[in-house]
Amino acid sequence: MDSVQTVVIFALIAAKCVRAPPPNFVLLFADDLGYGDLGCFGHPSSPTPNLDQLAANGLRFTDFYVTSPVCSPSRAALLTGRYQTRSGIYPGVLYPGSKGGLPLNETTIAEVLKSEGYSTAIIGKWHLGVGLNGTYLPTRQGFDNYLGIPYSHDQGPCENLTCFPPDIKCFGRCDVGVVTVPLYFNETIKQQPADFLTLEKTYINFASQFIHDAVHNKQPFFLYYPSHHTHYPQYAGEEYAGKSLRGPFGDAVMEFDGTVGKILQTLVKTGVINNTLVFFTADNGPELMRRSRGGNAGLMKCGKGTTYEGGMREPAIAYWPGFIKPGVTHALSSSLDILPTFAKLAGASLPDVQLDGVEMTNILFSLGPSERQAMFYYPSSPSKKYGVFAVRWGKYKAHFYTQGASHSMTTPDQDCSLLALKYHDPPLLFDLEADPSENYNLNGSDWDPVLQKINDLRVQFEASMVFGESEIGKGGDPALEPCCSPECSPKPKCCHCTSEL
Ligand SMILES: *[C@@H]1O[C@H](CO)[C@@H](O)[C@H](O)[C@H]1NC(C)=O
Ligand SMILES: *[C@@H]1O[C@H](CO)[C@@H](O)[C@H](O)[C@H]1NC(C)=O
Ligand SMILES: *[C@@H]1O[C@H](CO)[C@@H](O)[C@H](O)[C@H]1NC(C)=O
Ligand SMILES: *[C@@H]1O[C@H](CO)[C@@H](O)[C@H](O)[C@H]1NC(C)=O
Ligand SMILES: *[C@@H]1O[C@H](CO)[C@@H](O)[C@H](O)[C@H]1NC(C)=O
C-alpha cells in the first residue's frame, strides 16, 4: 500500500469513527436595525467593532432577507423556517395583553436542537406572545432558560426608562395605560419595570453562566440573543451612554455590539469558539420616523413597515473560525434558511411541516450556489386578498403593490410615507444588482419574459400558501397583561416589583 492510499484510508476511518461533536449555535438578532447601520455595512460613525470583527473574519451577506417589515412576524419566521402567514403571526404585531401567540404546535429552532440534546437559552426580546399564565413564553417553545422582556420595550409606559446619568430622560414616548415592561426569568417576573440601565450587564452574566454550564456539562448549546437594541426608544447603560459619535442611536448600537463582544470572549475563554457558529442579523428595517434616533437603511429604499428593500433586506454575518472562510456573499438568502441550516449541521431531522426555508451550507462553506430561488415580500399586515406585495427572483424584483408606512415617514422620498395602497399593472421591475436603491423602473416589452417568470413564481407560491388562523386577530384582554403580583389592585399601576438579579 503506498502512502497516498494509507492517508486516504486513515482519512476515511477518521471520518467514520471520530465524528466531530455537533457545533454550538449563537444567534444574534438586532431590532429595527437597517442595512446601513453597522460599520462593516458602510456606516461612517457607527461604533460596532465587534460585529465588524465578525464580518472581517466571517462571511458577510449582502442579499439577506427577513420575511416581514415588522417584529413579531419576522421573529416567527426566523424561529420556524416558515412564512408568518402559516403560523398566524399577522396582521401587525403582538401586544402585552394579546390572547394569541406563536402556536405551540409550531416547531422552533430550539425544539429542533433540543431533540439532539442541545441546551437552549434565550436572552432578550421574545415578541411571540405571553398569553394566559405564560402559555406562549419561550419556555413553552423549546427554550430551557429565558431571561428577558417578552415584547417591545415601548409597549409600556417608559417614564422609568432613563438614560445614564439616571436623571436624564431618554428620547421619546411609549404606550401608556398598560403595565410597565416586565423582566422575566423563565416564567416568573423578576422586575417590573425592568431596569434598563443594568439590563445589558444582567444579560451578559446570564449568557456567560449559560455557556459555562453547557461547556462544563459537555452539552452542545443554542443561545438566541434577540436584543432590544436598536428599537425605539433608545437607551444605553453607564458604559455606553454618550460615548458614540452618532448620538442616542449610536450609543444603543454600541451597547449591543459590546454584548456581542462579551459573548465572543466567553466562547474563547470556555474553549468553544472554534466549534460555534455565530450568526447575526436583524428583524426588519429601520424606524425612519424617529429621524436621527431611528436606524439607517443605507442605500436601500425606505425602511420599517414597507416592502421596499429598506424594510426587509438586512445585514447578516456568519462566523465560524476554521470552517467559514472570511469573505462576502451575494447569494440570495433569508432568515427562513437558518432553521434548516442549523438542523443540518446538528444532524437533527426537520420538522414534518411545510418549510419555506432551504439549508444554506452551500453558501457558508462555498460549496455551490444558493438553493434559494426567490424571496416573497409580505407587508406588515398580509391578507389572502392581496397576497405578496413583491417578489425577488435572481437579481430582479417586481412590485405588484407598494405602500409607504408611518414607521418610514420623515424621509424626503415620498414613496416611503404614501399610505395609500398602489397596485401596479404591469408591476414595477428593478434590477437590484445594477440598481439596489430601486430607482429605475425597467419598463417596456423587453422585460415581459422576466415579469412572466416572476408572476409564475408568485402564482405557484400563493397556491401553496395556507394561511393559519390569525393569532393577532384574536385580540387582547387587559387582564392578560403580565403583572408581577397578579392579585393586586388597582392595575396596571400596582404591578410593580423590584428585585436584585
Ligand atoms: C396547529 O394546529 C392548528 C389548529 O389545529 C392547525 O390548523 C395547524 O395546521 C397546526 N400547525 C401545525 C404546524 O401543525
Ligand atoms: C392561571 O393561573 C392562576 C393563578 O395561578 C390560576 O388560578 C388559574 O387556574 C390558571 N389558569 C389556567 C387556565 O391554567
Ligand atoms: C429556568 O429553567 C431551567 C430549566 O428548567 C432551569 O435549569 C433554570 O435554573 C431556570 N432558571 C431560573 C432562573 O429559574
Ligand atoms: C481556534 O483555532 C485557532 C486557529 O486554529 C487557534 O489559534 C486557537 O487557539 C483556537 N482556539 C481555541 C479556543 O481552541
Ligand atoms: C418608462 O419609464 C420612464 C421613466 O420613469 C417614463 O418616462 C416612461 O413614460 C415609461 N414608459 C412606459 C411605457 O411606462
Side-chain angles (χ1 to χ4, degrees), residues 47-50 229-230 239-240 243-245 249-259:
T48 53
N50 294 297
H229 290 313
T230 47
E239 206 179 333
Y240 299 102
K243 296 288 160 60
S244 81
L245 294 175
F249 189 97
D251 296 351
V253 76
M254 192 177 184
E255 186 169 69
F256 171 63
D257 182 81
T259 303

Side-chain angles (χ1 to χ4, degrees), residues 186-199:
N186 289 345
E187 299 187 0
T188 309
I189 298 172
K190 282 292 157 118
Q191 278 180 347
Q192 197 169 14
D195 175 5
F196 284 90
L197 292 187
T198 57
L199 187 57

